[in-house]
PDB file of all heavy atoms in Angstrom:
ATOM      1  N   ASP N  59      91.212  95.792 280.116  1.00 95.00           N
ATOM      2  CA  ASP N  59      91.746  94.472 280.463  1.00 95.00           C
ATOM      3  C   ASP N  59      92.996  94.577 281.286  1.00 95.00           C
ATOM      4  O   ASP N  59      94.057  93.934 281.024  1.00 95.00           O
ATOM      5  CB  ASP N  59      92.117  93.777 279.076  1.00 95.00           C
ATOM      6  CG  ASP N  59      90.956  93.116 278.393  1.00 95.00           C
ATOM      7  OD1 ASP N  59      89.914  92.918 279.123  1.00 95.00           O
ATOM      8  OD2 ASP N  59      90.954  92.779 277.314  1.00 95.00           O
ATOM      9  N   GLY N  60      92.973  95.464 282.306  1.00 95.00           N
ATOM     10  CA  GLY N  60      94.085  95.563 283.214  1.00 95.00           C
ATOM     11  C   GLY N  60      95.282  96.364 282.710  1.00 95.00           C
ATOM     12  O   GLY N  60      96.205  96.510 283.438  1.00 95.00           O
ATOM     13  N   VAL N  61      95.115  96.941 281.636  1.00 96.00           N
ATOM     14  CA  VAL N  61      96.102  97.828 281.085  1.00 96.00           C
ATOM     15  C   VAL N  61      95.683  99.255 281.162  1.00 96.00           C
ATOM     16  O   VAL N  61      94.662  99.633 280.555  1.00 96.00           O
ATOM     17  CB  VAL N  61      96.413  97.418 279.586  1.00 96.00           C
ATOM     18  CG1 VAL N  61      97.485  98.312 278.945  1.00 96.00           C
ATOM     19  CG2 VAL N  61      96.963  96.046 279.346  1.00 96.00           C
ATOM     20  N   GLU N  62      96.544 100.145 281.849  1.00 97.00           N
ATOM     21  CA  GLU N  62      96.270 101.480 281.879  1.00 97.00           C
ATOM     22  C   GLU N  62      96.318 102.163 280.530  1.00 97.00           C
ATOM     23  O   GLU N  62      97.382 102.065 279.829  1.00 97.00           O
ATOM     24  CB  GLU N  62      97.103 102.189 282.930  1.00 97.00           C
ATOM     25  CG  GLU N  62      96.867 103.702 283.056  1.00 97.00           C
ATOM     26  CD  GLU N  62      97.781 104.394 284.017  1.00 97.00           C
ATOM     27  OE1 GLU N  62      98.149 103.832 285.024  1.00 97.00           O
ATOM     28  OE2 GLU N  62      98.125 105.527 283.712  1.00 97.00           O
ATOM     29  N   ILE N  63      95.296 102.878 280.117  1.00 98.00           N
ATOM     30  CA  ILE N  63      95.278 103.682 278.880  1.00 98.00           C
ATOM     31  C   ILE N  63      95.776 105.114 279.113  1.00 98.00           C
ATOM     32  O   ILE N  63      96.637 105.559 278.427  1.00 98.00           O
ATOM     33  CB  ILE N  63      93.911 103.774 278.269  1.00 98.00           C
ATOM     34  CG1 ILE N  63      93.407 102.362 277.937  1.00 98.00           C
ATOM     35  CG2 ILE N  63      93.891 104.637 277.062  1.00 98.00           C
ATOM     36  CD1 ILE N  63      91.949 102.295 277.532  1.00 98.00           C
ATOM     37  N   CYS N  64      95.336 105.669 280.180  1.00 98.00           N
ATOM     38  CA  CYS N  64      95.653 106.955 280.550  1.00 98.00           C
ATOM     39  C   CYS N  64      95.203 107.339 281.944  1.00 98.00           C
ATOM     40  O   CYS N  64      94.373 106.567 282.563  1.00 98.00           O
ATOM     41  CB  CYS N  64      95.278 108.053 279.549  1.00 98.00           C
ATOM     42  SG  CYS N  64      93.337 108.085 279.397  1.00 98.00           S
ATOM     43  N   HIS N  65      95.713 108.526 282.521  1.00 98.00           N
ATOM     44  CA  HIS N  65      95.262 108.931 283.900  1.00 98.00           C
ATOM     45  C   HIS N  65      95.274 110.530 283.837  1.00 98.00           C
ATOM     46  O   HIS N  65      95.930 111.097 282.907  1.00 98.00           O
ATOM     47  CB  HIS N  65      96.192 108.445 285.054  1.00 98.00           C
ATOM     48  CG  HIS N  65      97.570 108.729 284.868  1.00 98.00           C
ATOM     49  ND1 HIS N  65      98.543 108.076 284.209  1.00 98.00           N
ATOM     50  CD2 HIS N  65      98.319 109.714 285.463  1.00 98.00           C
ATOM     51  CE1 HIS N  65      99.655 108.585 284.332  1.00 98.00           C
ATOM     52  NE2 HIS N  65      99.550 109.624 285.051  1.00 98.00           N
ATOM     53  N   TYR N  66      94.580 111.088 284.711  1.00 97.00           N
ATOM     54  CA  TYR N  66      94.383 112.530 284.944  1.00 97.00           C
ATOM     55  C   TYR N  66      93.524 113.035 283.763  1.00 97.00           C
ATOM     56  O   TYR N  66      92.313 113.574 284.084  1.00 97.00           O
ATOM     57  CB  TYR N  66      95.678 113.304 284.952  1.00 97.00           C
ATOM     58  CG  TYR N  66      96.538 113.110 286.174  1.00 97.00           C
ATOM     59  CD1 TYR N  66      97.898 112.790 285.904  1.00 97.00           C
ATOM     60  CD2 TYR N  66      95.995 112.880 287.427  1.00 97.00           C
ATOM     61  CE1 TYR N  66      98.772 112.615 286.920  1.00 97.00           C
ATOM     62  CE2 TYR N  66      96.897 112.540 288.469  1.00 97.00           C
ATOM     63  CZ  TYR N  66      98.204 112.441 288.355  1.00 97.00           C
ATOM     64  OH  TYR N  66      99.109 112.073 289.358  1.00 97.00           O
ATOM     65  N   PHE N  67      93.900 113.060 282.579  1.00 97.00           N
ATOM     66  CA  PHE N  67      93.071 113.552 281.466  1.00 97.00           C
ATOM     67  C   PHE N  67      93.055 112.500 280.257  1.00 97.00           C
ATOM     68  O   PHE N  67      93.931 111.610 280.179  1.00 97.00           O
ATOM     69  CB  PHE N  67      93.744 114.807 280.889  1.00 97.00           C
ATOM     70  CG  PHE N  67      93.951 115.933 281.898  1.00 97.00           C
ATOM     71  CD1 PHE N  67      95.094 116.075 282.585  1.00 97.00           C
ATOM     72  CD2 PHE N  67      92.832 116.781 282.128  1.00 97.00           C
ATOM     73  CE1 PHE N  67      95.283 117.027 283.500  1.00 97.00           C
ATOM     74  CE2 PHE N  67      93.025 117.739 283.120  1.00 97.00           C
ATOM     75  CZ  PHE N  67      94.129 117.855 283.865  1.00 97.00           C
ATOM     76  N   LEU N  68      92.024 112.535 279.545  1.00 98.00           N
ATOM     77  CA  LEU N  68      91.863 111.600 278.459  1.00 98.00           C
ATOM     78  C   LEU N  68      92.913 111.827 277.315  1.00 98.00           C
ATOM     79  O   LEU N  68      93.068 112.938 276.846  1.00 98.00           O
ATOM     80  CB  LEU N  68      90.464 111.760 277.756  1.00 98.00           C
ATOM     81  CG  LEU N  68      90.103 110.693 276.628  1.00 98.00           C
ATOM     82  CD1 LEU N  68      90.322 109.361 277.158  1.00 98.00           C
ATOM     83  CD2 LEU N  68      88.788 110.999 276.035  1.00 98.00           C
ATOM     84  N   ASP N  69      93.701 110.641 277.146  1.00 98.00           N
ATOM     85  CA  ASP N  69      94.682 110.736 276.047  1.00 98.00           C
ATOM     86  C   ASP N  69      94.031 110.154 274.900  1.00 98.00           C
ATOM     87  O   ASP N  69      94.096 108.843 274.830  1.00 98.00           O
ATOM     88  CB  ASP N  69      95.924 109.999 276.549  1.00 98.00           C
ATOM     89  CG  ASP N  69      97.004 109.895 275.562  1.00 98.00           C
ATOM     90  OD1 ASP N  69      96.719 110.030 274.283  1.00 98.00           O
ATOM     91  OD2 ASP N  69      98.255 109.774 275.959  1.00 98.00           O
ATOM     92  N   GLU N  70      93.635 110.919 273.954  1.00 98.00           N
ATOM     93  CA  GLU N  70      92.804 110.437 272.857  1.00 98.00           C
ATOM     94  C   GLU N  70      93.613 109.507 271.933  1.00 98.00           C
ATOM     95  O   GLU N  70      93.116 108.545 271.513  1.00 98.00           O
ATOM     96  CB  GLU N  70      92.201 111.527 272.028  1.00 98.00           C
ATOM     97  CG  GLU N  70      91.181 112.375 272.908  1.00 98.00           C
ATOM     98  CD  GLU N  70      90.495 113.435 272.088  1.00 98.00           C
ATOM     99  OE1 GLU N  70      90.899 113.798 271.052  1.00 98.00           O
ATOM    100  OE2 GLU N  70      89.409 114.065 272.610  1.00 98.00           O
ATOM    101  N   SER N  71      94.867 109.832 271.741  1.00 98.00           N
ATOM    102  CA  SER N  71      95.787 108.956 270.946  1.00 98.00           C
ATOM    103  C   SER N  71      95.914 107.635 271.573  1.00 98.00           C
ATOM    104  O   SER N  71      95.843 106.608 270.855  1.00 98.00           O
ATOM    105  CB  SER N  71      97.134 109.600 270.743  1.00 98.00           C
ATOM    106  OG  SER N  71      97.014 110.814 270.136  1.00 98.00           O
ATOM    107  N   ALA N  72      96.069 107.536 272.924  1.00 98.00           N
ATOM    108  CA  ALA N  72      96.285 106.257 273.476  1.00 98.00           C
ATOM    109  C   ALA N  72      94.944 105.462 273.515  1.00 98.00           C
ATOM    110  O   ALA N  72      95.003 104.296 273.321  1.00 98.00           O
ATOM    111  CB  ALA N  72      96.716 106.530 275.061  1.00 98.00           C
ATOM    112  N   LEU N  73      93.803 106.137 273.713  1.00 98.00           N
ATOM    113  CA  LEU N  73      92.536 105.514 273.629  1.00 98.00           C
ATOM    114  C   LEU N  73      92.265 104.936 272.345  1.00 98.00           C
ATOM    115  O   LEU N  73      91.890 103.752 272.121  1.00 98.00           O
ATOM    116  CB  LEU N  73      91.510 106.521 273.963  1.00 98.00           C
ATOM    117  CG  LEU N  73      89.982 105.910 273.917  1.00 98.00           C
ATOM    118  CD1 LEU N  73      89.757 104.646 274.795  1.00 98.00           C
ATOM    119  CD2 LEU N  73      88.985 106.953 274.248  1.00 98.00           C
ATOM    120  N   LYS N  74      92.602 105.650 271.263  1.00 97.00           N
ATOM    121  CA  LYS N  74      92.269 105.270 269.826  1.00 97.00           C
ATOM    122  C   LYS N  74      93.262 104.031 269.509  1.00 97.00           C
ATOM    123  O   LYS N  74      92.751 103.058 268.846  1.00 97.00           O
ATOM    124  CB  LYS N  74      92.565 106.424 268.889  1.00 97.00           C
ATOM    125  CG  LYS N  74      92.257 105.997 267.488  1.00 97.00           C
ATOM    126  CD  LYS N  74      92.338 107.186 266.472  1.00 97.00           C
ATOM    127  CE  LYS N  74      91.762 106.812 265.115  1.00 97.00           C
ATOM    128  NZ  LYS N  74      91.684 107.958 264.320  1.00 97.00           N
TER     129      LYS N  74
END
Side-chain angles (χ1 to χ4, degrees):
D59 282 344
V61 176
E62 181 181 320
I63 298 171
C64 57
H65 60 274
Y66 298 135
F67 302 98
L68 182 60
D69 181 337
E70 294 182 349
S71 297
L73 176 59
K74 188 172 186 174

